[in-house]
Amino acid sequence: MLRFHIAAAVLALSIVPALANGHGGGGDPPPPKPETTTAPAKVVLTKQGPKLVDLKGMTLYYYERDTTGKTSTCNGKCAESWVPLAATAEAKAIGDFTVISRDDGSKMWAYRYRPLYTSPADKAPGDANGNATTLQWRIARPEN
């Protein structure tokens, strides 16, 4: 019986530090892990109104034929003229930004389920030379 009481006391004393402050053995709790997912684009204000740009400041576009929200219809030669906004394989949706798969298996970013692209016609941040309304390409805007 004495052994039972000793074992119970040892067990109770070993559990107390683990329960203290919700973590084991005193000291400060570990710091929260930094958020690894950041939005792939930001909004800038222009004379024509707000628009989305990538993190380098390059104008983002969407293609009106991209309507499913799950895939991009711009592949092959199209993707040479309109560069998909690439996402890493580990990228996760954040806010209005989602990650979709491309025909080649790579990932790209979409805004409100519309895939996002940059245009090689834009040479510097702020350029908007890729806006081709007759070809159904539009500048991505936060209200789109």
Side-chain angles (χ1 to χ4, degrees):
M1 186 70 154
L2 181 60
R3 285 185 189 163
F4 174 75
H5 289 294
I6 292 173
V10 168
L11 183 62
L13 290 175
S14 65
I15 292 175
V16 170
L19 297 176
N21 295 325
H23 56 86
D28 293 329
K33 291 183 180 177
E35 184 62 43
T36 56
T37 303
T38 57
K42 57 187 175 182
V43 176
V44 296
L45 299 176
T46 68
K47 292 177 186 174
Q48 295 76 31
K51 71 177 180 179
L52 292 176
V53 298
D54 68 9
L55 298 180
K56 296 175 185 172
M58 301 304 285
T59 301
L60 292 170
Y61 301 87
Y62 71 92
Y63 189 34
E64 287 185 352
R65 292 186 183 171
D66 285 339
T67 58
T68 68
K70 298 176 184 169
T71 59
S72 165
T73 60
C74 182
N75 296 291
K77 287 280 188 192
C78 178
E80 292 174 16
S81 298
W82 298 92
V83 181
L85 182 60
T88 64
E90 303 81 30
K92 304 277 187 234
I94 180 168
D96 286 331
F97 294 97
T98 54
V99 179
I100 62 171
S101 295
R102 298 187 42 74
D103 284 358
D104 64 4
S106 65
K107 305 281 185 186
M108 73 178 290
W109 287 104
Y111 178 74
R112 295 188 178 172
Y113 301 98
R114 284 200 183 257
L116 295 170
Y117 308 85
T118 58
S119 172
D122 295 342
K123 302 300 181 197
D127 285 355
N129 301 317
N131 199 29
T133 55
T134 58
L135 299 175
Q136 299 178 320
W137 287 93
R138 307 280 185 265
I139 293 174
R141 300 189 183 280
E143 65 272 0
N144 288 351

